[in-house]
Amino acid sequence: MNEACYFGLDGGGTRTVAMLTDTAGKVLAFGRAGSTNYHTVGEAEARKNMFSILNSLLRQAGRDKEQLERVCLGLSGCDRPDDRELIGGWMKEFGVLERTLIVNDAVIALAGGALSDVGLLVISGTGSIYFARGVDGSTRRIGGWGPLLADEGSGYDLGREALRAIMRAYDGYEPPTRLTELILSALGLERVPQLVRWSTTEGLVKANVAALSRQVFAAAAQNDATALDIVERMTNLVARMTTTLAGLIELGPRYEVVLAGGNFKHNPLYFERAKVKIEKNLPQAKVILPKMQPVVGAILYAMAGSGKKVRPAVVEKLRETYPER
C-alpha cells in the first residue's frame, strides 16, 4: 500500500497530542506523549518525545515515513527562527524536513478552533496568548510573554489576584472573602500567614498559582464579591487585549473570535462575561468556543501545505473519526 498520509502534532508545555490521517481525513492513529517543548523539558527529552510519538503513530497505522505527504508541528514556545532551526534539525534527522511545517501552537489552535484561516484566537490556560490571522494571510500576536511580563487573563493571573485579595482581607483593608477558606483548604494550609512561605516555594511554579483559578470560579459561583470582581477585571483585560489585536490586522467584515483553553472551556461564567464584552467592542465578531481541537488544525495545515484543497467532506470525516469528545 502506498497511500499518502498526514501527521499533525499539538505540542504543549506539559503534553503532546498527535494524529495521523489519510487523504480523506480519516483518523488512522491517535496518541499522546510527554512535552515536545524543549524550553520546558530540555532538548534531549523533547526530541525523544517527538520521535516516540511519530514512530508510534506510524506503527499503529501500518505506515512508514515515506508515505508522509506532509507533517505539521504546532509547538508552544516555537516563535523564533532559532526554535524552528533546532526542530528542523530533528526532522532532518528523521528524514522528513522538506515535508515539515513548523508553527507556533496558536496557529493550529486557530485553524482547529475556527475551521478557518482567518480569525482571532485567545488562549487562557496556565498562561495566555492572543493571536490573529488576517484576510491577507498575515499574522499578529500580543501577550503570551510569561507571568512576569504579561499573561493577561490567564489562570496564573486569576490565581495571583486571588492570593493578593486574601492578603488584603487578612490585613483588614478589604472585606473578608470566601477565597481564603477555599484556597487554604486546596493548599493544605491552616492559616493565612503560611501563604508567605508557600509563595516562596511552591508558589514559584507558574502552574501551581494558575491552578488556584479553580477556587476563584468556585467562590464566584457562591456569589463571593471578591471573586466576582476578579472575574470582572480579568474579562475586562481579555476584551481589551482582543479589541487591541483586532485593530492591528484586517480580519474582514465578519469573523470569529475563538476563546480556547481550560479557563473558558470549564467555566461558563468566564466565557460568557468575556463574550459579552468582546462582542460589544467588536460588533462584527462572533465569539465561540473551539469547533475542533488544535491537533485537527495541525492536520488541516498539513493538508493545505501540500496543496490539497480541504473540502467540507474532509472536515466532516475528521469530525467523525476523531477519537475524543
Side-chain angles (χ1 to χ4, degrees):
M1 180 170 57
N2 194 34
E3 185 182 350
C5 55
Y6 295 93
F7 178 85
L9 179 142
D10 173 24
T14 57
R15 67 171 189 169
T16 295
V17 181
M19 67 184 190
L20 197 73
T21 76
D22 65 15
T23 57
K26 179 183 177 181
V27 177
L28 303 173
F30 180 90
R32 299 182 183 277
S35 174
T36 43
N37 183 337
Y38 74 93
H39 297 291
T40 302
V41 297
E43 291 184 29
E45 183 71 11
R47 176 183 169 281
K48 182 188 79 172
N49 290 336
M50 180 76 73
F51 286 172
S52 172
I53 194 71
L54 262 167
N55 285 315
S56 174
L57 265 59
L58 286 169
R59 283 196 303 271
Q60 284 182 50
R63 303 295 174 91
D64 60 54
K65 65 183 180 181
E66 301 308 319
Q67 293 171 281
L68 287 169
E69 179 73 18
R70 189 72 60 169
V71 170
C72 179
L73 309 177
L75 301 167
S76 66
C78 186
D79 296 299
R80 302 169 303 165
D82 287 352
D83 298 321
R84 289 186 285 275
E85 183 177 352
L86 176 66
I87 306 302
W90 302 350
M91 304 316 288
K92 182 177 181 180
E93 181 181 344
F94 196 75
V96 295
L97 175 60
E98 70 284 356
R99 290 171 274 161
T100 299
L101 302 170
I102 303 170
V103 298
N104 184 272
D105 61 342
V107 173
I108 62 168
L110 176 60
L115 295 179
S116 170
D117 284 341
V118 177
L120 195 150
L121 170 80
V122 180
I123 301 177
S124 174
T126 298
S128 67
I129 190 169
Y130 299 73
F131 172 82
R133 178 180 289 274
V135 293
D136 62 354
S138 63
T139 61
R140 289 292 299 266
R141 59 163 278 186
I142 60 175
W145 308 119
L148 181 62
L149 301 177
D151 276 353
E152 291 87 352
S154 65
Y156 182 90
D157 226 0
L158 288 154
R160 180 187 57 195
E161 289 303 301
L163 291 168
R164 290 176 171 176
I166 290 171
M167 301 314 298
R168 290 193 290 265
Y170 179 77
D171 284 336
Y173 66 94
E174 287 195 3
T177 169
R178 184 87 171 92
L179 288 168
T180 301
E181 180 183 347
L182 290 173
I183 285 181
L184 289 181
S185 176
L187 298 179
L189 304 177
E190 296 179 354
R191 296 175 290 108
V192 171
Q194 291 177 298
L195 282 172
V196 177
R197 179 170 178 79
W198 184 89
S199 72
T200 62
T201 52
E202 290 95 330
L204 295 178
V205 178
K206 180 178 177 180
N208 291 344
V209 175
L212 301 178
S213 61
R214 299 187 189 99
Q215 281 66 51
V216 175
F217 295 118
Q222 299 171 26
N223 290 318
D224 179 81
T226 300
L228 287 168
D229 176 66
I230 291 172
V231 169
E232 201 66 18
R233 288 188 286 114
M234 290 297 106
T235 51
N236 284 342
L237 264 178
V238 170
R240 182 179 178 185
M241 296 284 285
T242 304
T243 304
T244 297
L245 180 56
L248 299 176
I249 193 165
E250 177 54 51
L251 293 165
R254 295 290 298 172
Y255 57 89
E256 291 178 325
V257 174
V258 181
L259 300 186
N263 293 312
F264 294 124
K265 178 180 179 181
H266 301 299
N267 302 288
L269 173 66
Y270 204 54
F271 173 79
E272 290 298 334
R273 293 305 299 148
K275 172 182 168 69
V276 166
K277 294 172 183 180
I278 293 168
E279 290 184 345
K280 180 180 178 181
N281 291 352
L282 301 170
Q284 66 275 38
K286 179 182 179 183
V287 175
I288 63 168
L289 289 168
K291 295 175 182 175
M292 297 190 76
Q293 297 301 314
V295 69
V296 174
I299 291 292
L300 294 175
Y301 254 80
M303 289 180 171
S306 68
K308 177 180 175 62
K309 183 175 178 59
V310 181
R311 301 183 184 279
V314 171
V315 175
E316 188 55 36
K317 182 60 70 173
L318 284 165
R319 195 189 305 277
E320 287 174 6
T321 59
Y322 186 76
E324 295 186 346
R325 295 291 180 265

